[in-house]
Amino acid sequence: MTAALLSALLSHWWRNPVQLFTLLAGLSLGTALWTGVQAINAEARASYDDAARTLDEGQLAQLATASGAPISEQTYVALRRAGWLVSPVIEGRLGSVRIIGIDPLTLPRDTGAARMMTGADLSGFLIPPGQILAQAETLNRLPDTDAARIATPGAAPGVAITDIGVAQLLLNRVGQIDRLMVTPEQPLGQRPLADVAPDLLLTAAQGSTDVARLTDSFHLNLTAFGLLSFVVGLFIVHGAIGLAFEQRRPMLRSLRALGAPLNRLIALMVLELAGLALIAGGVGIALGYAMAAALLPDVAATLRGLYGAEVAGQLVLRPVWVISGLAMALGGTAAAAAGSLWSLARMPLLASALPQAWGAARTGRAQVTFALVLLGLAGALTQWGQGLLAGFVLLGALLIGGALLLPPILRAVLHWAEARARGPLAQWFWADTRQQLPGLSLALMALLLAMAANVGVSTMVSSFRLTFVAFLDQRLASELYVTTANPAEADRVLNSLEGTVDAVLPLLSMRQSVAGQPVELYGARDHATYRDNWHLLQAVPDAWDALARGEGVLINEQLFRRAGLGLGAPVPLAQGGALPVLGIYGDYGNPIGQIVLTEAEFRARYPEVTALRFGLRLDPGRVPDLRAKLQADAGLPASGIVDQAAIKALSLDVFERTFLVTSALNMLTLAVAGFAILMGLLTLAAMRLPQMAPVWALGVTRRHLALLDLGRALLLAALTGVLALPLGLALAWALLAIVNVEAFGWRLPMSLFWMDYLRLGVFALLAAAVAAAWPAWRLSRMKPARLLGVFRHER
Amino acid sequence: MSVRIWLLLMLLAAPLTGLAQGFAGLGSRAEGFALPSPDRVLQFPADHGAHPAFRIEWWYLTANMTGPDGTPYGLQWTLFRSALAPEDGQGWGAPQLWMGHAAVTTPTAHHVTERLARGGIGQAGVTAAPFAAWIDDWSLTGPDFDHLRLTASGPDFAYDVNLQARGPLVLHGQNGYSVKSAQGQASHYYSQPAFALSGTLRLAEGEVKVTGSAWLDREWSSQPLAQDQTGWDWFSLSFDSGDKLMGFVLRGADDYTSATWIGADGTVTSFKDGAFEARPLTWHNVAGRSVPVGWQVRLPIRGVDVTLRAVNPDAWMATSVPYWEGPVTLTGSHDGVGYLEMTGYGE
């Protein structure tokens, strides 16, 4: 009997292939977007872990100078000879590859680098020209060097290991060490650090890596997008399943009347849905994989540019996201089908075979109340919410609340229009539109969400871009930036610059910790460059003069927000007490806090720090000449001289790539929503015949009816679009003012981009038109016999 | 003491944990290294220093000691030099690599630690006069080779002892040119077998004042030896009579033995294969291997027939390449103390 029941149940799908397609496609698309995002996240996280494991960053204590200045080899040897088991590390970039120089003889045993060295030819590694160990793909990105290239599959992407001596040569930093890894087990009788190397700071093992924390917000963003897409996909699935259950009510009643037990029927339907979910999930995972593979290079570029985090350009099939994709497909189907199964379980044996007014019950008072509660929650969170998670809850509440409110609002609007309609056809049009609303509301909600997300995200991105470009223009005021390897080279550069430029601005910097936050300290020379170009968000009167007198400091917005340091608040500095905040400046694109002191204050407090980087002010036309002169006279490598235009181009490129992924996901969501409308209309088409046939019988042509249908779809899409705009702007505001502040530490001014919204509206109408065209065309070509048939049938 | 050449080569040839089997690259870079010569007259103090033109070299010290309560202790301090190329130099790229082993053995515990270092940056090295040999914070230093201070430290032990020579240097073989095989392979080899030692051990239970005697070997060469043997057992014995005996057995298809007798009066006599005999008496499981820690040792020609017992049977050197090395006590025809080194006992 089971086989017979199953074939009866499945026969529905054979007779309604479009419905089957809807179900599978909706679920596949939702799963694909979810899986794709998960795959990208999993890949990126795995890459960070690999990279961090190379030197067990965070797992080992470290020694470094407070100023970030290099450690001398003498200091290293002095520490070793004082019983400190430390191992030197130098890091730098060759092209786009992160070069890590290590000493294999003192390297702590359990580091990833030590594992990479297993089986290596040690003498080849140690003796110049040495060897570079990295993944083959990374080796290809390396510029030409004398060192032998050894493909090492276990290496982290974008990371190359070489001997410290070789690395010093490659990086043009002979004699320098960036930091020392401290072996966990130290010998007895070690001399105190303060006696041996007083200028070094010991950082305890941390357990997590900076890059993981920095990129959390980025991944949370992606996850939210994935989830949003999946929810949109679920709207489609819910629609398809609901329709299928409604249409099978007569069959189910017949089967039960013939003696099929209810339990077995339900069990079989669950089985059927699970099978469909697995198929759709599998397809979705494959699609998601393809999507992730296509997007990953951009994501990798984004992460590298924004956070310096390396991500492999190639995707690995990881069980984590395959399982998560299938679980989402099954869970989503269960969620979408739960209501239908529940009503089936409670269906009286002799219930009417007529489909219920499908979905009509959903638009009741309860829904409005729930929507208002969600919007209230969102409002409350803007006032009292804390943290990134609250930000995302706010976004979720806003979007779902807005979506739930859509059908009641549309109904009210249609009601209002119907009351003002003149003529029977117009009245029928409005009434019929309202009557279709329950069946289309899920698709329209999907469209609303997609459009709102589009408006919100594009507003955020465009606002960000506008601010960022202006910020770059202000901040990168110097025409040329010069980086020297050591104080001697810096002196040579300064000497050769004598009298050739308008101003030399030394960039003095060091790192320290303020209120538990890592912070960069800068010593700025009092020069018009800063006064003219730095825009202060908040400042005491005559802040620049006060700064020049050494009466306080300027801090960036990130530090202001994270450490809660307002104007006048004392900023604790490592040496010589605290200085008050004189002003707060915007600092976009930088993940960590900054403090600016005058050059004199800085030099007095940190005499051990010498300036190795300089900004040069000069006539832009003379930049190429000066560059050549610096290379010839001071022997600076070309990589040590960067002009303003190049930095700007690089920064903008990073920016564009950052949001390329976002806009791609945006368009995909919109496409899914368009598809939802198509499927909604197709499934409704058959059910609406009884309503259409009488109108046709009264003399309205099929063509006219089809045009009315097309117009109806456009009307609903337009109304949805109009409602999506305020929702999207609210979303943009939440992203800019709340999520961004939490994630990145800065607040962006919100700008409006009406042309973009208009274009989006046209896209949405186009999507609706395309979606409605095929059902309308089918209606216009429908055989009159089918329409006549309505009057023959019972129903 | 050819066995120690093998020890070093074995250490360097085997893949170090997390390091490189690349040390084996040694074999292909043999060209250009200086070779030991019978015509060379050792010059002191210059020859106490390093010989970077030779491939391998060591300063190898073992000591038998007693605490205030009569507890026996053993101590080891070894500095190996291994050249990747026959040249000195400055900086990271210089081809001189150094390895240190340090250990303290008590009747109930055996503490071991190891260090690796580059010569070119000053992390390890040896100078002849005033004498200084060091790797990291470990050092063997003094105004001359007869008055030395020895220090080493590990996570669970440290020591700081003074050494006073109680006799002349002993030049092995022909004026310090020590032939190692029938094929003519050789090394330059001398010892100071009679240091009086006093100092302090730092252990988990606290500081222990110790006194005793130490034996320092100096050897350098460039030639790898044939490796058909599976391992060796090496003995350095100090009899209460003041005489000393060094002997070893190379285990292989045919065991090969060699010995040196150093009389209390300073006379040195070498014995060829067969004169020296060593037979395992008791076996002990350590680090998953079965190792003989009790021995019968005989040199009939000098009337020696003694039974050796390890002070601590667990004196396992868990270094990059593991081996057994620890103090022993002797009974039988002679009483005394000594050091035993055993390699090649597989898991």
Side-chain angles (χ1 to χ4, degrees):
Chain A
M1 178 171 74
T2 305
L5 284 178
L6 200 58
S7 92
L9 284 172
L10 288 178
S11 68
H12 172 80
W13 301 113
W14 303 135
R15 278 187 284 114
N16 296 279
V18 171
Q19 243 175 54
L20 179 66
F21 177 72
T22 312
L23 178 67
L24 291 178
L27 201 54
S28 303
L29 283 178
T31 310
L33 288 173
W34 168 259
T35 310
V37 166
Q38 288 307 303
I40 288 171
N41 280 350
E43 195 61 46
R45 290 226 165 85
S47 288
Y48 308 148
D49 289 351
D50 285 351
R53 268 199 309 270
T54 307
L55 290 180
D56 288 65
E57 282 156 20
Q59 308 301 317
L60 291 173
Q62 310 263 347
L63 284 172
T65 59
S67 61
I71 302 168
S72 71
E73 279 169 12
Q74 288 82 349
T75 305
Y76 164 63
V77 172
L79 278 166
R80 290 291 309 195
R81 300 224 49 202
W84 280 80
L85 295 190
V86 292
S87 188
V89 177
I90 185 171
E91 275 199 59
R93 285 194 175 270
L94 271 189
S96 62
V97 177
R98 177 180 167 204
I99 290 273
I100 302 179
I102 50 150
D103 172 27
L105 297 186
T106 52
L107 192 65
R109 285 263 167 98
D110 292 328
T111 51
R115 283 186 290 276
M116 276 171 72
M117 291 291 301
T118 307
D121 161 23
L122 189 67
S123 75
F125 189 83
L126 293 179
I127 302 299
Q131 298 175 343
I132 299 179
L133 275 55
Q135 286 182 4
E137 186 256 343
T138 308
L139 289 175
N140 289 337
R141 280 159 49 194
L142 272 176
D144 271 345
T145 64
D146 293 337
R149 295 157 185 237
I150 311 290
T152 309
V159 176
I161 296 283
T162 189
D163 183 64
I164 181 158
V166 177
Q168 287 179 345
L169 290 172
L170 291 176
L171 299 170
N172 190 28
R173 293 180 54 197
V174 170
Q176 299 186 2
I177 293 168
D178 283 333
R179 56 199 165 89
L180 299 169
M181 290 184 280
V182 183
T183 303
E185 209 170 40
Q186 293 287 320
L188 301 178
Q190 214 173 43
R191 278 170 55 207
L193 184 62
D195 293 356
V196 190
D199 56 329
L200 294 191
L201 292 181
L202 181 68
T203 319
Q206 285 161 355
S208 85
T209 56
D210 284 352
V211 79
R213 265 181 291 134
L214 278 177
T215 52
D216 264 357
S217 55
F218 180 83
H219 292 300
L220 206 52
N221 262 312
L222 277 186
T223 305
F225 248 109
L227 208 54
L228 183 67
S229 316
F230 187 75
V231 169
V232 169
L234 278 194
F235 280 127
I236 304 176
V237 175
H238 185 275
I241 291 178
L243 186 66
F245 272 65
E246 291 302 332
Q247 290 183 340
R248 284 196 286 188
R249 281 173 84 92
M251 175 172 74
L252 291 172
R253 191 190 59 171
S254 309
L255 287 173
R256 288 201 56 201
L258 288 170
L262 179 64
N263 286 346
R264 186 167 311 177
L265 268 179
I266 289 179
L268 283 175
M269 291 183 84
V270 168
L271 198 69
E272 169 198 47
L273 285 175
L276 290 173
L278 283 177
I279 293 169
V283 172
I285 287 167
L287 285 175
Y289 182 87
M291 183 191 96
L295 289 181
L296 194 62
D298 286 321
V299 174
T302 299
L303 288 165
R304 190 181 303 148
L306 260 191
Y307 306 101
E310 282 290 347
V311 175
Q314 278 171 354
L315 203 60
V316 180
L317 196 73
R318 288 176 201 277
V320 162
W321 50 265
V322 172
I323 292 169
S324 107
L326 284 180
M328 287 297 278
L330 281 169
T333 311
S340 301
L341 283 169
W342 177 247
S343 73
L344 169 67
R346 296 194 312 169
M347 183 176 83
L349 184 57
L350 296 175
S352 157
L354 287 176
Q356 295 183 337
W358 172 55
R362 300 196 170 274
T363 53
R365 194 178 295 268
Q367 184 176 332
V368 176
T369 312
F370 187 50
L372 291 176
V373 167
L374 282 176
L375 292 178
L377 172 69
L381 280 172
T382 61
Q383 289 302 308
W384 298 293
Q386 288 281 322
L388 196 56
L389 190 64
F392 278 106
V393 172
L394 159 64
L395 292 187
L398 191 66
L399 284 176
I400 297 173
L404 288 177
L405 220 46
L406 176 71
I409 292 178
L410 283 179
R411 200 165 56 242
V413 169
L414 294 174
H415 223 34
W416 179 86
E418 188 184 343
R420 274 147 196 79
R422 294 287 169 263
L425 195 60
Q427 276 183 354
W428 173 81
F429 174 80
W430 290 110
D432 188 52
T433 306
R434 197 155 54 82
Q435 196 264 346
Q436 277 195 61
L437 198 53
L440 277 175
S441 63
L442 281 171
L444 291 174
M445 279 155 80
L447 181 67
L448 179 83
L449 286 185
M451 288 182 72
N454 220 311
V455 167
V457 172
S458 69
T459 303
M460 178 191 79
V461 172
S462 301
S463 295
F464 193 177
R465 195 175 196 287
L466 217 58
T467 313
F468 189 66
V469 171
F471 162 76
L472 280 182
D473 284 343
Q474 291 169 12
R475 181 59 70 84
L476 295 174
S478 295
E479 280 72 22
L480 208 55
Y481 291 84
V482 172
T483 304
T484 58
N486 49 53
E489 192 170 79
D491 282 346
R492 276 207 310 280
V493 167
L494 290 180
N495 286 336
S496 76
L497 285 174
E498 204 80 42
T500 60
V501 292
D502 300 340
V504 176
L505 303 173
L507 304 172
L508 286 159
S509 74
M510 67 167 297
R511 282 201 170 206
Q512 77 168 53
S513 166
V514 168
Q517 305 273 342
V519 164
E520 280 174 336
L521 266 92
Y522 280 91
R525 185 163 286 180
D526 184 25
H527 189 268
T529 302
Y530 298 110
R531 289 170 184 256
D532 295 349
N533 291 304
W534 284 38
H535 169 62
L536 297 179
L537 302 173
Q538 291 180 35
V540 300
D542 301 319
W544 287 106
D545 291 333
L547 179 73
R549 289 192 299 270
E551 289 168 4
V553 298
L554 302 179
I555 62 173
N556 70 353
E557 188 186 0
Q558 285 83 321
L559 187 63
F560 156 64
R561 292 194 187 275
R562 289 188 192 143
L565 294 166
L567 289 182
V571 179
L573 297 168
Q575 277 94 344
L579 283 174
V581 174
L582 298 173
I584 296 155
Y585 56 91
D587 185 14
Y588 308 105
N590 172 14
I592 75 168
Q594 266 184 10
I595 299 174
V596 173
L597 302 144
T598 58
E599 185 183 357
E601 265 314 300
F602 189 95
R603 288 195 194 273
R605 282 165 193 269
Y606 310 102
E608 74 281 8
V609 179
T610 50
L612 295 176
R613 292 172 56 228
F614 304 91
L616 309 180
R617 298 303 310 265
L618 67 159
D619 175 2
R622 289 184 42 236
V623 164
D625 292 346
L626 188 67
R627 173 191 282 276
K629 177 176 158 57
L630 280 173
Q631 281 180 259
D633 293 3
L636 266 187
S639 60
I641 313 168
V642 185
D643 63 46
Q644 187 200 62
I647 298 186
K648 273 185 189 165
L650 183 74
S651 305
L652 275 178
D653 184 47
V654 165
F655 180 89
E656 303 294 359
R657 283 171 169 274
T658 304
F659 294 103
L660 206 62
V661 180
T662 330
S663 55
L665 285 177
N666 239 332
M667 290 315 290
L668 281 173
T669 322
L670 200 63
V672 171
F675 185 72
I677 295 178
L678 170 67
M679 292 304 144
L681 290 174
L682 279 179
T683 44
L684 276 182
M687 293 170 66
R688 290 183 59 242
L689 270 187
Q691 281 106 46
M692 303 286 280
V695 186
W696 170 76
L698 289 173
V700 183
T701 62
R702 287 169 298 165
R703 189 181 147 73
H704 195 171
L705 280 174
L707 281 176
L708 281 177
D709 262 13
L710 200 59
R712 179 181 294 116
L714 289 175
L715 174 77
L716 288 174
L719 282 174
T720 305
V722 167
L723 290 170
L725 188 61
L727 187 63
L729 293 179
L731 183 69
W733 179 83
L735 282 169
L736 288 169
I738 294 173
V739 175
N740 245 350
V741 173
E742 293 293 344
F744 300 106
W746 62 75
R747 180 172 180 164
L748 293 165
M750 181 165 156
S751 313
L752 297 179
F753 304 88
W754 295 108
M755 283 313 290
D756 287 357
Y757 308 149
L758 197 64
R759 194 166 60 232
L760 176 68
V762 172
F763 274 136
L765 286 180
L766 211 61
V770 169
W774 188 37
W777 179 82
R778 285 208 319 182
L779 178 63
S780 68
R781 294 296 162 102
M782 190 172 280
K783 289 201 172 76
R786 268 198 80 191
L787 287 164
L788 279 172
V790 168
F791 300 102
R792 224 169 2 91
H793 284 302
E794 281 292 314
R795 41 183 302 197
Chain B
M1 211 165 29
S2 59
V3 287
R4 285 201 166 148
I5 294 179
W6 279 328
L7 168 63
L8 183 71
L9 288 178
M10 295 274 291
L11 284 173
L12 297 184
L16 301 183
T17 318
L19 267 187
Q21 65 210 160
F23 271 118
L26 271 176
S28 60
R29 292 179 182 233
E31 322 80 43
F33 285 103
L35 293 176
S37 155
D39 302 331
R40 177 173 178 150
V41 178
L42 298 188
Q43 305 279 338
F44 299 108
D47 278 323
H48 295 317
H51 301 82
F54 288 80
R55 182 137 57 137
I56 46 174
E57 182 164 21
W58 55 84
W59 294 254
Y60 205 122
L61 188 138
T62 50
N64 293 96
M65 306 168 294
T66 48
D69 59 353
T71 306
Y73 294 97
L75 169 158
Q76 182 195 345
W77 191 99
T78 314
L79 183 61
F80 296 102
R81 181 185 60 79
S82 171
L84 300 176
E87 60 208 46
D88 215 350
Q90 296 291 309
W92 297 101
Q96 302 288 329
L97 307 186
W98 299 78
M99 172 166 67
H101 285 180
V104 165
T105 312
T106 78
T108 52
H110 181 71
H111 308 284
V112 189
T113 187
E114 178 179 49
R115 300 286 176 86
L116 294 167
R118 308 261 191 121
I121 55 163
Q123 191 190 345
V126 177
T127 58
F131 181 77
W134 74 92
I135 181 167
D136 293 345
D137 54 324
W138 307 359
S139 62
L140 178 62
T141 54
D144 55 56
F145 208 62
D146 290 345
H147 303 86
L148 297 171
R149 181 182 171 195
L150 176 74
T151 64
S153 65
D156 49 359
F157 77 97
Y159 53 71
D160 187 346
V161 298
N162 287 301
L163 305 168
Q164 299 257 359
R166 289 284 184 254
L169 298 175
V170 172
L171 306 186
H172 296 274
Q174 179 190 338
N175 292 323
Y177 178 77
S178 169
V179 177
K180 298 301 180 193
S181 76
Q183 290 84 40
Q185 280 140 327
S187 70
H188 290 297
Y189 180 17
Y190 67 89
S191 301
Q192 172 47 274
F195 275 119
L197 175 151
S198 69
T200 309
L201 305 182
R202 195 168 152 196
L203 302 170
E205 53 267 34
E207 295 199 341
V208 183
K209 297 279 181 209
V210 288
T211 56
S213 63
W215 179 312
L216 173 64
D217 271 342
R218 283 282 291 113
E219 192 159 7
W220 62 97
S221 182
S222 294
Q223 297 162 306
L225 298 185
Q227 293 197 14
D228 56 323
Q229 282 93 355
T230 57
W232 64 84
D233 307 298
W234 174 85
F235 307 83
S236 75
L237 309 178
S238 297
F239 301 122
D240 292 350
S241 60
D243 301 318
K244 296 173 190 297
L245 170 65
M246 185 281 289
F248 58 82
V249 183
L250 293 166
R251 301 192 307 277
D254 295 308
D255 284 0
Y256 175 86
T257 70
S258 177
T260 302
W261 180 269
I262 302 161
D265 57 358
T267 56
V268 177
T269 317
S270 297
F271 296 96
K272 294 209 156 64
D273 184 20
F276 177 84
E277 297 166 20
R279 187 167 65 87
L281 293 177
T282 52
W283 294 75
H284 178 71
N285 275 316
V286 57
R289 305 148 205 252
S290 190
V291 179
V293 293
W295 288 81
Q296 184 188 26
V297 168
R298 298 176 67 229
L299 186 66
I301 209 163
R302 294 282 169 151
V304 174
D305 186 349
V306 292
T307 302
L308 268 63
R309 199 165 307 284
V311 170
N312 181 345
D314 292 313
W316 187 254
M317 298 294 290
T319 39
S320 304
V321 166
Y323 56 103
W324 194 104
E325 177 136 9
V328 294
T329 55
L330 337 166
T331 53
S333 65
H334 296 67
D335 286 346
V337 295
Y339 242 81
L340 168 61
E341 174 186 292
M342 299 181 285
T343 68
Y345 290 92
E347 283 178 76

